[in-house]
Amino acid sequence: TLFHTEFLNWGNYINQKSLSMYSIDSHYVQVLAFNMKKPLLEEARVRKGIAISLNTAKILKNVWLNKGTLAEAPIYPNGWYSPTNQANYTYDAERAGEYLQNAIDSQLTILVNTSVPDQEAIGEEIADALQRIGFVVALDRKEETAYSQALQEGNFDLALCRFRVLDEMDIAEILGSKGSQNYTGYASRDMDAALEAIGTQTEEETIHQAFVNLAQQVVEDLPYFTLFFQRQATLTGLNVRGDLEP
């Protein structure tokens, strides 16, 4: 027996003595999407100011009890190919204010999917942080169908999204100019080239470097701000032996 469950369901199994439980990074990542078709958010300095005004470590602790891994790009953090988190957008409210000098007092909506249990709580943490630096913020709470429609139609300023990222094809759907999950209006030849380069490499070293380059492009352009990868519980019967790999 081997199966996975999300962190929020761990308590259902914790007292079952017939099971062993392991905590590993899942392939689900929480990100904040910027609608770059909105005049305010098409400016990179504003997106960067918002990013460094958010204390992602605090959000992870408050909402997920630290059951996650911080990351700066939607790239699985525990693979042999994974880039090291360089913490380019470490929380710094004073520096955020410098980036956002002409944006303060602007109104922002944050689209959240109420069908995802944790997303509203994350949205509230983000709204609180942005209000503290001067934005006027409202949560736009929608259930799955209405939420998806709003994403597709671009009816949001900021949106919380949870993506499942298994490989570079999933990343391309999020960041590629023609990606089916690219809801931000972002299009970049440099990003498309970085995504394409991953698939053309054959050696571990060059594959790793291609992912490093991709992460750097995400950090530079910031169409999405990566919050964290969720952790999950992997449960096995006591008869299961061997090393557990992500």
Side-chain angles (χ1 to χ4, degrees):
T1 303
L2 187 153
F3 65 99
H4 307 290
T5 186
E6 289 197 10
F7 160 68
L8 297 176
N9 299 322
W10 288 16
N12 297 335
Y13 304 97
I14 199 166
N15 293 320
Q16 295 194 21
K17 296 181 180 180
S18 62
L19 295 173
S20 296
M21 184 183 296
Y22 304 89
S23 172
I24 65 172
D25 283 308
S26 76
H27 287 271
Y28 285 99
V29 62
Q30 296 274 4
V31 302
L32 182 66
F34 298 98
N35 188 344
M36 294 171 63
K37 293 181 180 179
K38 297 294 180 81
L40 179 67
L41 296 169
E42 70 177 353
E43 297 185 49
R45 65 171 183 82
V46 173
R47 299 195 300 274
K48 292 176 180 180
I50 289 174
I52 62 175
S53 73
L54 302 179
N55 188 336
T56 51
K58 180 182 177 183
I59 294 171
L60 179 59
K61 179 181 179 181
N62 288 352
V63 180
W64 270 73
L65 303 181
N66 285 329
K67 302 299 184 182
T69 299
L70 300 178
E72 60 186 4
I75 300 170
Y76 183 69
N78 266 339
W80 57 264
Y81 53 84
S82 304
T84 302
N85 187 353
Q86 300 296 322
N88 286 277
Y89 292 110
T90 301
Y91 170 67
D92 188 334
E94 183 176 345
R95 204 166 127 239
E98 295 173 2
Y99 278 112
L100 297 169
Q101 283 181 356
N102 298 323
I104 298 304
D105 296 330
S106 298
Q107 295 187 352
L108 291 173
T109 59
I110 305 174
L111 177 66
V112 298
N113 184 350
T114 58
S115 301
V116 177
D118 59 322
Q119 206 159 84
E120 191 170 351
I122 296 173
E124 289 170 351
E125 292 275 340
I126 292 173
D128 181 61
L130 295 179
Q131 286 169 341
R132 283 200 304 270
I133 61 172
F135 283 103
V136 179
V137 185
L139 288 189
D140 184 8
R141 301 171 174 88
K142 287 183 166 38
E143 294 186 355
E144 183 72 40
T145 300
Y147 167 86
S148 297
Q149 183 176 349
L151 276 181
Q152 295 286 352
E153 295 177 353
N155 291 331
F156 65 92
D157 297 322
L158 308 173
L160 275 167
C161 302
R162 184 176 75 158
F163 295 125
R164 189 176 188 221
V165 179
L166 292 174
D167 54 31
E168 68 272 16
M169 298 302 293
D170 292 327
I171 301 173
E173 293 299 332
I174 299 168
L175 296 171
S177 297
K178 298 181 179 180
S180 63
Q181 294 180 300
N182 180 352
Y183 304 119
T184 65
Y186 170 66
S188 164
R189 290 182 180 178
D190 290 338
M191 177 61 76
D192 290 339
L195 289 163
E196 185 178 354
I198 293 173
T200 64
Q201 307 306 317
T202 57
E203 302 294 331
E204 285 193 5
E205 183 177 345
T206 55
I207 293 172
H208 170 72
Q209 186 58 50
F211 275 102
V212 169
N213 295 343
L214 176 63
Q216 289 173 342
Q217 195 67 49
V218 173
V219 167
E220 182 177 337
D221 294 348
L222 206 65
Y224 292 91
F225 177 51
T226 305
L227 301 172
F228 57 86
F229 274 81
Q230 299 173 188
R231 293 186 71 78
Q232 67 183 21
T234 294
L235 300 110
T236 70
L238 298 179
N239 60 328
V240 175
R241 299 287 186 270
D243 296 329
L244 184 66
E245 297 289 343

